[in-house]
Amino acid sequence: MPHHIQPRTPPGTLELLPREQIIFQHMIDVIRRGYERFGFVPIETPVFEFRDVLLTKSGGETEKQVYFAQSTGAIQQGHDPELALRFDLTVPLARYVAEHEHQLAFPFRRYQIQRVYRGERAQKGRFREFYQCDIDVIGKDKLDAAYDAELPAIIVRIFEELRIGDFTIHFSNRKVLLGLLAGHGIEDADKQKLILREIDKFEKIGADKVRASLVELGLGEDVAGDFLRFIAHKGGKEEMIADLRGQKSDHSLFRQGLAELAQIVDALKALGVPDHRTRLNLKIARGLDYYTGTVYETLIDDHPEFGSVCSGGRYDDLASLYTKSKLPGVGLSIGLTRLYDQLNAAKLLPQIPGSVQVLIAQLDPQLGAAYLALATDLRHAGFNVENYLEPAKLEKQLKYADKSGIPFVVLLGPDEKAKGTVLVKDFAAKAQHEVTHAALIEKLRALFGR
């Protein structure tokens, strides 16, 4: 007996059956169309980058999870790996913009939908290979805050088209909190970071523990109380802006952040974004020091346990490690693999028909040429058509169509051929229609609701 290797998929990857893959592909298509509708252009970067280009940050958690790529020849010669697989799309974007700066038009509006790789510990919901769908606007020397409002408008349009249930984009501006802290005499950057991280934990640990932490970090009881009032604010966006304007702080950073927030609120209204889809929420501090202004998180209203399904923010300088040019930007990222996995588990995936719309059954091998010609006619009319190309019992062909998710089967036997008709079997309606050959295209269009 020959020894067979056990077929198995590496943990931390998402491999789908065709019907599932069609849904995943639909989600990618909706995201891509949404990005393009707002004037963004696509780029792709190599799956691996030079090691010294990729590993530039200060040894954060992500850099401990890098996969290195090496040829067998290099391994045999004992060389250190020269290449590493990308762990996000931001570092490759920084390298790309720095390298092609003089060929790009700024502001550079790019989207990128590709897989990234992280050596996560294999467990449910953690992926080692996953799709990110990133969108960024990069400016040269400066980038107006108007772009910060456009990104949520794009995501609202995409998520509404995906029909994944009610969702809310929460946004804030780090300058507001940092300016308030500075106005109260807390200007040490490390202490500010610690305070923002505590604020970020508000939903997990609650108001009392956050208050105690803030007091421990040097805020007076009154100041900590003021902070918590803003952080726990339940009012609308305009009300929050008015409350913040009532603050006595004259710190320039606070005033700048507040002006940017007010500009976003006004622009969201002008863009026609439904009011309930966005919320000004100062709890969104985002622990990453990378972000310098606006920050975003997106929650599915009925499933807060999903965490943020689309996050991002404003950064001052994208590519300072690769170029002297100052390249500020703002971006958002949808982690599509994780989102698909969560929606699937919660039975919230959109119902998408299969990509094959019509199967032409083979009832008589003598009519093979007629079946092929019929398929060609239907394809010219815009239908996705499959021919069943080998003789088989009709029952087997119908089972094949049903299992493959093909909604209509066209039957043409000697009797139909003689009458100049065909039969259309409709699985969903459990019905069969006899139409003339000439009327078939119109009948199918009617059945598809075109």
Side-chain angles (χ1 to χ4, degrees):
M1 287 286 289
H3 173 68
H4 291 128
I5 296 167
Q6 176 70 31
R8 61 206 187 277
T9 311
T13 58
L14 183 71
E15 186 173 78
L16 303 172
L17 292 170
R19 297 282 290 276
E20 300 163 329
Q21 190 68 47
I22 286 164
I23 297 171
F24 192 86
Q25 195 59 48
H26 162 78
M27 294 175 79
I28 286 181
D29 290 343
V30 168
I31 293 166
R32 178 183 49 75
R33 280 198 308 271
Y35 288 166
E36 288 180 353
R37 193 145 285 143
F38 278 77
F40 285 75
V41 295
I43 70 164
E44 286 199 351
T45 57
V47 70
F48 44 67
E49 298 274 352
F50 284 114
R51 177 181 182 157
D52 64 317
V53 170
L54 197 65
L55 304 184
T56 53
K57 295 182 184 171
S58 53
E61 274 307 303
T62 309
E63 290 200 7
K64 294 175 187 169
Q65 301 170 343
V66 169
Y67 284 107
F68 290 107
Q70 204 171 9
S71 70
T72 49
I75 292 171
Q76 285 162 1
Q77 290 169 32
H79 296 312
D80 282 340
E82 187 184 23
L83 303 170
L85 301 191
R86 58 175 176 233
F87 49 79
D88 68 10
L89 298 178
T90 304
V91 177
L93 172 65
R95 190 269 307 154
Y96 181 97
V97 175
E99 189 171 344
H100 302 291
E101 185 182 332
H102 301 298
Q103 298 145 279
L104 297 173
F106 289 91
F108 176 49
R109 299 160 68 87
R110 89 81 167 89
Y111 75 86
Q112 190 169 355
I113 300 174
Q114 287 189 281
R115 290 183 176 98
V116 300
Y117 298 85
R118 290 185 193 173
E120 293 269 16
R121 199 161 57 82
Q123 55 181 298
K124 189 173 170 52
R126 292 281 187 176
F127 290 94
R128 300 196 289 186
E129 176 191 68
F130 55 97
Y131 268 95
Q132 282 192 330
C133 308
D134 281 21
I135 187 168
D136 286 83
V137 187
I138 312 298
K140 191 83 172 277
D141 301 319
K142 62 184 178 56
L143 186 72
D144 195 276
Y147 292 99
D148 297 35
E150 195 178 40
L151 296 193
I154 299 167
I155 299 304
V156 166
R157 182 161 186 150
I158 287 169
F159 279 7
E160 284 185 343
E161 191 176 340
L162 285 174
R163 300 183 179 184
I164 56 175
D166 283 334
F167 61 91
T168 307
I169 300 175
H170 298 251
F171 67 96
S172 180
N173 191 308
R174 283 171 66 100
K175 291 175 188 171
V176 169
L177 292 179
L178 292 172
L180 279 174
L181 287 172
H184 286 292
I186 296 173
E187 301 199 59
D188 177 71
D190 289 337
K191 187 168 275 193
Q192 286 181 342
K193 284 176 195 172
L194 289 172
I195 289 169
L196 286 193
R197 281 179 190 151
E198 289 306 311
I199 289 167
D200 224 15
K201 297 176 191 169
F202 186 95
E203 298 291 356
K204 285 183 186 167
I205 66 174
D208 292 341
K209 285 186 179 170
V210 172
R211 183 196 300 270
S213 297
L214 295 184
V215 170
E216 204 175 304
L217 286 165
L219 265 68
E221 287 280 357
D222 290 352
V223 177
D226 254 4
F227 252 67
L228 285 175
R229 188 169 65 81
F230 282 122
I231 292 160
H233 200 290
K234 293 276 196 267
K237 293 181 277 287
E238 279 90 353
E239 191 186 329
M240 172 82 97
I241 296 286
D243 270 11
L244 286 167
R245 280 185 175 138
Q247 279 294 292
K248 296 182 180 69
S249 176
D250 283 325
H251 197 281
S252 60
L253 196 61
F254 170 75
R255 291 291 158 200
Q256 189 186 350
L258 181 52
E260 288 171 6
L261 280 179
Q263 187 177 350
I264 290 173
V265 170
D266 290 343
L268 286 171
K269 202 179 291 182
L271 284 161
V273 175
D275 188 60
H276 68 285
R277 290 293 188 211
T278 61
R279 183 179 161 217
L280 175 47
N281 180 358
L282 293 185
K283 290 194 290 291
I284 309 298
R286 302 224 70 201
L288 294 169
D289 307 324
Y290 176 68
Y291 295 112
T292 53
T294 311
V295 284
Y296 315 93
E297 292 191 352
T298 309
L299 300 177
I300 308 290
D301 294 354
D302 293 335
H303 292 276
E305 74 278 7
F306 284 9
S308 179
V309 297
C310 176
S311 307
R314 162 73 72 142
Y315 40 89
D316 273 345
D317 200 356
L318 172 75
S320 57
L321 290 155
Y322 311 114
T323 177
K324 289 177 185 168
S325 301
K326 188 165 193 255
L327 300 167
V330 61
L332 276 170
S333 179
I334 301 170
L336 184 58
T337 302
R338 186 164 164 265
L339 176 59
Y340 174 93
D341 190 52
Q342 290 170 318
L343 292 172
N344 188 32
K347 297 187 166 44
L348 288 173
L349 283 173
Q351 293 307 301
I352 304 301
S355 55
V356 183
Q357 298 169 308
V358 180
L359 176 72
I360 295 177
Q362 184 176 137
L363 300 185
D364 182 351
Q366 300 299 314
L367 294 175
Y371 298 141
L372 296 178
L374 182 56
T376 299
D377 288 346
L378 293 180
R379 289 181 189 124
H380 284 155
F383 294 101
N384 298 341
V385 182
E386 179 182 345
N387 279 102
Y388 204 95
L389 291 170
E390 58 188 15
K393 287 183 178 175
L394 178 59
E395 185 186 5
K396 182 181 178 184
Q397 296 182 55
L398 294 176
K399 275 186 181 168
Y400 169 79
D402 192 30
K403 194 171 183 179
S404 301
I406 304 171
F408 299 102
V409 179
V410 172
L411 307 172
L412 173 62
D415 292 347
E416 290 78 25
K417 178 79 170 165
K419 289 191 288 181
T421 63
V422 294
L423 295 173
V424 179
K425 190 162 186 64
D426 179 345
F427 278 107
K430 295 184 176 166
Q432 196 162 280
H433 314 276
E434 185 166 12
V435 295
T436 65
H437 194 292
L440 174 60
I441 287 169
E442 283 311 311
K443 182 64 180 176
L444 285 171
R445 282 182 178 146
L447 290 168
F448 277 106
R450 289 185 179 179

